[in-house]
Amino acid sequence: MQAYVLTRYGDTNAMELRDVPQPTPGAGEVLIRVYAAGLNPVDYKVRQGKMRMLTHLDLPRVAGSELAGVVEETGPGVTRLAVGDRVFTRLDKQKLGAYAPYAVVDETFVAKMPTSLEFTDAAGLPLAGLTALQALRDELAVKTGDKVFISGGAGGVGTLAIQLAVWLGAKVTTTASPRGEDLVRSLGAETVIDYRTHKFVDILHDFDGAFDLTGGQDLIDSFAILKPGAKTVSIAGIPDATTARDIGAGPLVTVALTAASAKIRRAARRRGVGYRYMFMHPSGDDLDVLSELVDKGTLTTVTDRAFPFEQIPDAFAYLEQGHAKGKVVVQM
């Protein structure tokens, strides 16, 4: 079968279409025929080598973090799923494998996809949806009446985070360009700040939590708009020692991340607030939650553009421009 393979760390030429053997499921695993796969910033950050400190990959390896498809075969001991099930998944970070006609995945990372979605839309839900759900529900513990700030609300994670924050009872403020304003308002954002003309730090105050999707100065500025004791959770900042412990990193990595994140942590302490870099974890149970919310009409997926699988290099070039509203996917 032909797959999109990460051959080395580097520029766009580090991933290429190659012939590889079809995988076989082992104990507790399912073989999924892939119908569509999502593209994410983490995928090109892995290619660039920016994630090497957190995830070690044996190369070459079929790339890709999320997919939607049909269970083709089950390995010994599989109980959650059956042949013919329409499923979606965020794959194991150490194994990857979504950019291929077939992928093998641990069944605990897989869930039945929403019955109301086609494969293209379902493929873009796992990684962004799990990230948003785990950040808002678990890390920020968002509750009814909270004021939550989400930077970059029109992107793949942001479009889902706005809706999930509203579902949890929060009043949401986000940043977006004029082109994205109507979209984020339609998803539930009450206040939208045009980041091209205004600095949110000059306008906002007394927030109960912030979900940083853009990093840089936005991350630092988010500390200034929080109530004392509140917290910013980021997926665009610098991992810290807590992140290292979460993923079982060794002492050298822990020390390195502690040093690298020192400036951000000091800035948070000066404001009397918390900082947490979140590394989401695959979870079939959490995908069940997302699937139910979609089928109830509470959660809407937003797909910016779908490319044929053969044009996956073009899909990544489009994604890396940074202007997509919602998710970019490829169809098999």
Side-chain angles (χ1 to χ4, degrees):
M1 66 178 189
Q2 194 170 55
Y4 201 50
V5 178
L6 177 62
T7 62
R8 56 183 172 81
Y9 295 115
D11 60 15
T12 55
N13 296 320
M15 288 198 287
E16 60 186 53
L17 288 168
R18 285 188 176 186
D19 288 325
V20 300
Q22 181 176 311
T24 302
E29 295 178 330
V30 293
L31 175 69
I32 301 173
R33 181 182 177 185
V34 182
Y35 280 76
L39 277 64
N40 300 275
V42 70
D43 295 311
Y44 61 75
K45 289 178 182 178
V46 167
R47 184 202 74 212
Q48 293 166 345
K50 293 182 178 180
M51 307 300 290
R52 275 185 290 181
M53 191 175 291
L54 299 175
T55 57
H56 175 74
L57 298 174
D58 294 325
L59 303 182
R61 176 173 297 278
V62 177
S65 301
E66 62 180 349
L67 61 82
V70 174
V71 175
E72 190 91 353
E73 183 182 345
T74 61
V78 170
T79 58
R80 286 170 53 101
L81 302 164
V83 172
D85 283 345
R86 299 167 77 247
V87 296
F88 65 152
T89 181
R90 198 298 187 205
L91 290 81
D92 189 319
K93 298 173 185 179
Q94 305 294 335
K95 297 179 180 179
L96 304 180
Y99 300 148
Y102 293 91
V104 163
V105 190
D106 188 303
E107 70 160 339
T108 62
F109 296 162
V110 184
K112 294 179 182 179
M113 58 183 262
T115 59
S116 57
L117 291 185
E118 298 299 327
F119 293 109
T120 298
D121 291 324
L125 179 57
L127 192 149
L130 291 173
T131 300
L133 179 65
Q134 293 168 9
L136 296 164
R137 181 195 63 190
D138 304 337
E139 295 294 338
L140 288 176
V142 173
K143 62 185 183 302
T144 300
D146 280 355
K147 290 169 55 181
V148 174
F149 173 71
I150 300 171
S151 62
V157 176
T159 53
L160 296 172
I162 291 169
Q163 297 175 79
L164 289 170
V166 172
W167 169 63
L168 291 167
K171 298 177 180 179
V172 177
T173 294
T174 191
T175 54
S177 68
R179 191 167 72 91
E181 180 174 355
D182 288 345
L183 172 62
V184 297
R185 287 193 185 279
S186 73
L187 298 175
E190 293 188 11
T191 303
V192 182
I193 296 172
D194 180 355
Y195 64 83
R196 296 181 178 181
T197 58
H198 296 87
K199 293 183 178 180
F200 68 83
V201 70
D202 296 331
I203 302 170
L204 307 178
H205 57 86
D206 292 331
F207 273 69
D208 299 287
F211 187 21
D212 168 60
L213 309 179
T214 50
Q217 189 60 44
D218 284 352
L219 171 57
I220 301 298
D221 286 347
S222 73
F223 302 148
I225 70 171
L226 295 177
K227 295 177 180 177
K231 179 167 66 173
T232 292
V233 172
S234 177
I235 61 169
I238 298 176
D240 53 13
T242 303
T243 309
R245 289 193 293 271
D246 286 347
I247 63 173
L252 291 179
V253 172
T254 302
V255 170
L257 292 179
T258 300
S261 63
K263 179 181 177 180
I264 295 175
R265 292 183 289 107
R266 283 197 300 268
R269 284 198 302 270
R270 284 196 295 267
R271 292 286 183 175
V273 300
Y275 166 69
R276 175 79 159 92
Y277 179 92
M278 196 197 80
F279 208 46
M280 60 76 61
H281 59 273
S283 168
D285 290 338
D286 280 350
L287 287 178
D288 283 335
V289 173
L290 296 173
S291 183
E292 182 178 356
L293 290 173
V294 170
D295 282 338
K296 285 182 176 179
T298 303
L299 188 64
T300 300
T301 59
V302 180
T303 302
D304 180 278
R305 190 171 173 185
F307 290 77
F309 177 65
E310 295 75 14
Q311 295 178 16
I312 192 169
D314 296 330
F316 266 106
Y318 176 71
L319 176 68
E320 291 185 53
Q321 291 175 5
H323 302 307
K325 304 303 179 189
K327 290 301 295 282
V328 177
V329 301
V330 290
Q331 299 167 318
M332 299 298 171

